[in-house]
Amino acid sequence: MKHQDYNFCVAPMMDWTDRHCRRFHRLLSGKARLYTEMITPGALLHGDAVRHLEQHPLDGPVALQLGGSEPEALAQAAQLGARFGYAEINLNCGCPSERVQRGAFGACLMREAERVADCFEAVSTAVDLPVTVKHRLGLGRNSSLELVCTFVERLVRAGCRVFIVHARNAWLEGLSPKDNRDVPPLRHADVHRLASNFPQSRFVINGGLTDHLSACVAVQRLDGVMIGRAAYRTPAMLAAVDRLWFGEECQTKAAARPSGSASESLNPLLHALEGYRNYMQKELQRGTSLGAMTRPLLGVFQGFRGARAWRQDLSCAQALRAGDLGVFDQAVERFLTVQRTEAT
Ligand SMILES: Cc1cc2nc3c(=O)[nH]c(=O)nc-3n(C[C@H](O)[C@H](O)[C@H](O)COP(=O)(O)O)c2cc1C
């Protein structure tokens, strides 16, 4: 039987997939696999590990993504992650930023399969968790699969079984990290070609998947999909994940079927928001900033009338600074009033 645990994943995203965002995503989907932002071993071993690693007891399964190239430091950081209850350690071999290149990790590691294999072995020995690798299809403008095949082949020999592939090359010169997510051409077919060379390994496809239908088309014969920006632009997508990707319905048919009425698609969102309100209330008592917690909610009503007002209401810096949940309650009320008016 096909393993289900990687069917649908939410990507590691710096400054987005923090513990608040993951709490909200988990309330929308009980089964999606969630990833932390990339964290360096240094930040965990010499910084405030609790702040970085603390997670809600009901958030699992969450993978901890580490960015580094020192086997021993990665192994120690992974052990900390295991102690904090993470379900997987993911090694970042796809980040193109200059800061990360200066630290000799991220996408530039695709040229250093031996080193990544050493890191993989050190981490796998240190923790009893799946260790996975997230990488690109190649580097620069060369669209040959030679580099990525050599990279994956070496990691397969080291024991790696799961590869998450951002279906683009990383251009290490002249492009910002943001442009590196858009400018290098998206090549889903090459992820399928890569995977066909390694039938014993599992491949998760990432890049440019914006809805369930595009994800269903992309996943054929692979082991799962990972969405990045769609998770914050249209988080409502996550509310259908358990049914479409982990339920008994055929994925393609289910995704192709028109969704139900507006109120049917709204109810799970309102339910998740209710749970998240309880979470925010508890966190406010611990001194957490309200603005940090409302950020993952901004896109939740994307596509509904009233979505813009919702975003504006939840972006009022002054009200958020005061830490008053009334801002959230009023935003919900205003949004629901728009829905009621529309229904009459
Ligand atoms: C704001 C932002 C931050 C990101 N941070 C990370 C990161 O920490 N680690 C990582 O492997 N990828 C990171 N990525 C890349 C995403 O994980 C993903 O590979 C990329 O956005 C392509 O997927 P998408 O087209 O579904 O967004 C980031 C992407 C965004 C938009």
Side-chain angles (χ1 to χ4, degrees):
M1 193 183 115
K2 199 178 146 190
H3 293 278
Q4 288 210 323
D5 35 1
Y6 291 91
N7 277 10
F8 195 97
C9 309
V10 179
M13 288 183 285
M14 296 278 281
D15 300 326
W16 272 102
T17 52
D18 60 11
R19 68 189 170 92
H20 311 306
C21 180
R22 298 196 305 267
R23 179 82 292 255
F24 184 53
H25 287 169
R26 181 54 75 221
L27 287 165
L28 289 168
S29 163
K31 296 190 171 163
R33 199 169 184 85
L34 308 180
Y35 285 71
T36 66
E37 309 165 87
M38 179 184 72
I39 306 175
T40 61
L44 298 183
L45 302 175
H46 312 297
D48 186 346
V50 176
R51 185 174 69 80
H52 287 296
L53 292 178
E54 176 187 28
Q55 56 170 343
H56 192 279
L58 300 178
D59 275 357
V62 179
L64 170 64
Q65 189 187 60
L66 295 175
S69 55
E70 294 298 329
E72 185 51 34
L74 284 166
Q76 286 176 25
Q79 281 172 333
L80 272 177
R83 239 178 278 154
F84 277 79
Y86 286 89
E88 167 192 333
I89 304 296
N90 176 262
L91 302 178
N92 182 327
C93 296
C95 179
S97 88
E98 276 181 21
R99 184 181 66 87
V100 159
Q101 282 186 66
R102 278 198 299 276
F105 60 99
C108 62
L109 284 175
M110 288 192 68
R111 290 196 193 103
E112 296 199 53
E114 276 309 316
R115 175 170 277 276
V116 181
D118 289 346
C119 293
F120 177 89
E121 280 167 1
V123 173
S124 318
T125 309
V127 293
D128 192 14
L129 292 176
V131 183
T132 63
V133 175
K134 181 169 181 279
H135 59 93
R136 298 272 185 144
L137 272 176
L139 297 176
R141 288 160 203 260
N142 183 348
S143 60
S144 135
L145 294 182
E146 202 179 321
L147 181 79
V148 71
C149 282
T150 306
F151 179 77
V152 168
E153 190 275 328
R154 180 64 189 90
L155 279 158
V156 167
R157 267 197 286 128
C160 186
R161 292 290 167 266
V162 179
F163 297 88
I164 300 167
V165 192
H166 182 174
R168 294 190 162 86
N169 279 18
W171 295 1
L172 296 182
E173 282 116 39
L175 277 191
S176 68
K178 182 173 178 299
D179 287 343
N180 249 305
R181 296 191 280 266
D182 288 317
V183 176
L186 198 54
R187 290 150 52 210
H188 285 177
D190 276 343
V191 180
H192 288 257
R193 271 182 210 113
L194 170 68
S196 66
N197 286 306
F198 301 95
Q200 306 304 325
S201 304
R202 295 162 71 187
F203 287 86
V204 175
I205 188 166
N206 165 246
L209 306 173
T210 53
D211 52 38
H212 288 295
L213 193 53
S214 64
C216 280
V217 171
V219 80
Q220 301 298 321
R221 298 189 308 280
L222 300 176
D223 298 278
V225 294
M226 173 178 270
I227 60 160
R229 289 161 286 188
Y232 61 77
R233 289 179 181 156
T234 49
M237 198 179 158
L238 287 169
V241 163
D242 294 1
R243 181 172 58 84
L244 297 181
W245 293 84
F246 295 88
E248 288 177 0
E249 295 182 52
C250 158
Q251 294 169 6
T252 313
K253 277 192 208 141
R257 195 187 313 139
S259 55
S261 65
S263 67
E264 254 177 67
S265 39
L266 208 48
N267 285 342
L269 306 182
L270 296 174
H271 187 69
L273 286 173
E274 197 183 317
Y276 194 71
R277 188 191 189 283
N278 293 338
Y279 168 78
M280 288 194 289
Q281 198 162 29
K282 290 196 187 113
E283 284 289 323
L284 284 171
Q285 284 159 11
R286 296 176 64 197
T288 305
S289 126
L290 183 57
M293 294 190 285
T294 52
R295 196 158 171 254
L297 310 180
L298 295 178
V300 73
F301 292 131
Q302 186 61 33
F304 286 91
R305 190 178 284 229
R308 190 146 168 249
W310 164 262
R311 277 197 305 275
Q312 282 165 350
D313 289 350
L314 286 190
S315 306
C316 174
Q318 203 183 354
L320 292 171
R321 256 198 308 275
D324 179 1
L325 265 185
V327 181
F328 171 81
D329 295 336
Q330 278 159 23
V332 173
E333 201 39 55
R334 183 143 93 118
F335 176 76
L336 290 177
T337 306
V338 174
Q339 303 311 302
R340 281 185 220 112
T341 318
E342 195 170 63
T344 53

